[in-house]
Amino acid sequence: MKKTWIYGAMAAGTLLCSAAASGDDAANEASAAQMQGVTVQYAGSVMVFQVANIVVSGQFADDTYQASARFTAAGLAALFTDADIEAGVSGYRDGDALRPWHYSHLNHASSKNRVVAIDFPDGVATPNIEPPFGSMGEPPATDEERAGAADPISTLLAMGLGAVARGDSQCDGTLPVFDGRARYNLRFEDGGTDRVRTRAWSGDALVCHAYYEPISGYEADEFPSEDDIDRPITFWLAPVHGGDIHIPVRIRTNAGFGGVTIVARSIEEN
């Protein structure tokens, strides 16, 4: 499923953030002292063939966040697509809970120049697509279904902050997601720990399985197959900033031919 392939690849580029500007110099200085930053570069591959580069950079503040991710096709995939996707979100932070304010993404390589934007008035994910999609799915996501849903980036950020932790489990629960047209859930299951070694990080990582549960906003030929739904995206999460934040150092999704593996090539804390 093409959407799952892109989502799995973009997921690696979502564990980032930067503080939103407050408009007050003194407040900015106080907030800056409490920021936690991280810059991560990833490479995605199918079997032994590189297919994507993902660059992630940003910071958390105590009460705000702003995140962005850049995904570009590379290697073998560049022969078939010139995808160059940039996404970003800003919002408010309340402990583990993130309240997005504005999200948008754009494929710079697309001739349509379509900007997919989402605002969140009263907690309802509300799309603003220019130019509009020909269809918002059959059936489209309703206001009730979009209430309380977050954008894809905020969802993965919340996972890294521990929003899906339940009791002794490091990964458990369900988060509602809206990507501008599709409304789905990510259902998480704890996978314990596993020893990981990448160019950027090595050690015992938390393993988190994320199952894709479609709700609405799909065309008939886009709806995920049972095989897509049954196979999770698996994240290996490593602690940064003394364990306050977890970022994926390895991601594996079986969607598409051969599946996609994404690994961190460099991590810079700031």
Side-chain angles (χ1 to χ4, degrees):
M1 182 181 65
K2 183 177 180 181
K3 176 171 283 192
T4 303
W5 190 95
I6 293 294
Y7 178 79
M10 284 296 292
T14 61
L15 262 288
L16 73 144
C17 44
S18 70
S22 69
D24 180 88
D25 290 341
N28 283 341
E29 291 177 4
S31 179
Q34 301 170 3
M35 290 179 182
Q36 294 177 313
V38 61
T39 298
V40 189
Q41 296 186 21
Y42 296 93
S45 62
V46 174
M47 296 185 291
V48 297
F49 302 104
Q50 184 177 359
V51 296
N53 290 318
I54 302 167
V55 179
V56 171
S57 181
Q59 295 177 332
F60 285 110
D62 284 344
D63 55 0
T64 60
Y65 73 101
Q66 184 178 12
S68 62
R70 189 72 174 258
F71 169 97
T72 54
L76 182 65
L79 299 176
F80 305 97
T81 177
D82 57 354
D84 180 359
I85 300 171
E86 185 173 16
V89 64
S90 58
Y92 302 96
R93 180 182 178 188
D94 182 12
D96 293 344
L98 299 181
R99 313 297 183 197
W101 171 69
H102 179 76
Y103 166 88
S104 66
H105 77 251
L106 167 69
N107 185 353
H108 293 277
S110 173
S111 60
K112 295 181 180 179
N113 293 317
R114 175 177 287 126
V115 176
V116 177
I118 309 173
D119 293 310
F120 299 84
D122 299 320
V124 179
T126 304
N128 180 17
I129 317 299
E130 292 294 340
F133 290 124
S135 168
M136 290 297 286
E138 293 295 338
T142 65
D143 289 351
E144 291 76 15
E145 289 170 335
R146 290 183 276 106
D151 61 278
I153 292 181
S154 296
T155 301
L156 272 296
L157 287 170
M159 184 180 74
L161 288 170
V164 295
R166 297 291 185 272
D168 294 332
S169 176
Q170 297 291 345
C171 180
D172 184 25
T174 299
L175 295 176
V177 190
F178 180 67
D179 69 4
R181 185 171 68 168
R183 168 68 178 85
Y184 56 92
N185 291 335
L186 286 182
R187 176 175 56 84
F188 298 93
E189 290 186 1
D190 186 9
T193 61
D194 189 21
R195 191 75 176 175
V196 173
R197 183 179 181 87
T198 74
R199 181 182 299 184
W201 188 88
S202 62
D204 291 327
L206 303 177
V207 181
C208 191
H209 303 296
Y211 289 86
Y212 189 87
E213 298 180 340
I215 305 296
S216 58
Y218 299 85
E219 296 296 326
D221 60 351
E222 295 177 338
F223 202 84
S225 68
E226 289 297 327
D227 189 54
D228 292 324
I229 295 171
D230 290 341
R231 296 182 178 185
I233 302 172
T234 301
F235 298 85
W236 284 260
L237 301 172
V240 296
H241 288 292
D244 290 342
I245 306 168
H246 283 75
I247 63 171
V249 290
R250 187 173 187 267
I251 296 175
R252 172 70 183 177
T253 173
N254 290 318
F257 175 74
V260 180
T261 300
I262 299 166
V263 296
R265 298 176 63 89
S266 69
I267 300 171
E268 181 182 350
E269 298 179 42
N270 48 64

